[in-house]
Amino acid sequence: MQEVAGRWWNGIWGRLGRRDVWLTREVRWKVVARAGDAETGRVLRWEFDSEPEALALVQRLLAADAGGRWREQIGDAASLPPQ
């Protein structure tokens, strides 16, 4: 079962400007990034052996200029990424 260790989104609603990033762990750490909305967005996935490696990619993704203002989501909003 996947554990969500963190989730961020850029605060922009809509299929063109929205960006989401998830940090999950099953056996290996995974980073999932989505550009666009849940129905039509493009999803990219990476796997890492350690949390520091995965967090380094998360930081690079959050540093990229995607518009909006990144904010971490907690609680129910930190749901699992789309499969």
Side-chain angles (χ1 to χ4, degrees), residues 16-29:
L16 297 178
R18 183 181 178 114
R19 302 289 186 269
D20 294 272
V21 175
W22 290 265
L23 175 62
T24 66
R25 181 168 191 257
E26 196 165 343
V27 174
R28 299 182 72 200
W29 287 90

Side-chain angles (χ1 to χ4, degrees), residues 62-78:
L62 298 182
D65 184 15
R69 194 180 98 236
W70 287 103
R71 56 195 82 172
E72 187 168 7
Q73 297 182 307
I74 56 175
D76 291 341

Side-chain angles (χ1 to χ4, degrees), residues 2 22 24 26 30 32 34 38 43 45 80-83:
Q2 282 186 358
W22 290 265
T24 66
E26 196 165 343
K30 297 179 184 180
V32 178
R34 180 178 66 206
V43 177
R45 292 176 171 79
L80 289 170
Q83 297 299 320

Side-chain angles (χ1 to χ4, degrees), residues 8-71:
W8 300 262
W9 78 299
N10 66 344
I12 296 177
W13 295 95
R15 66 172 77 167
L16 297 178
R18 183 181 178 114
R19 302 289 186 269
D20 294 272
V21 175
W22 290 265
L23 175 62
T24 66
R25 181 168 191 257
E26 196 165 343
V27 174
R28 299 182 72 200
W29 287 90
K30 297 179 184 180
V31 175
V32 178
R34 180 178 66 206
D37 65 4
E39 293 178 18
T40 61
R42 187 181 68 164
V43 177
L44 301 171
R45 292 176 171 79
W46 299 266
E47 290 192 13
F48 300 92
D49 291 324
S50 72
E51 182 180 15
E53 290 175 308
L55 282 171
L57 178 61
V58 167
Q59 291 306 314
R60 287 195 304 271
L61 290 168
L62 298 182
D65 184 15
R69 194 180 98 236
W70 287 103
R71 56 195 82 172

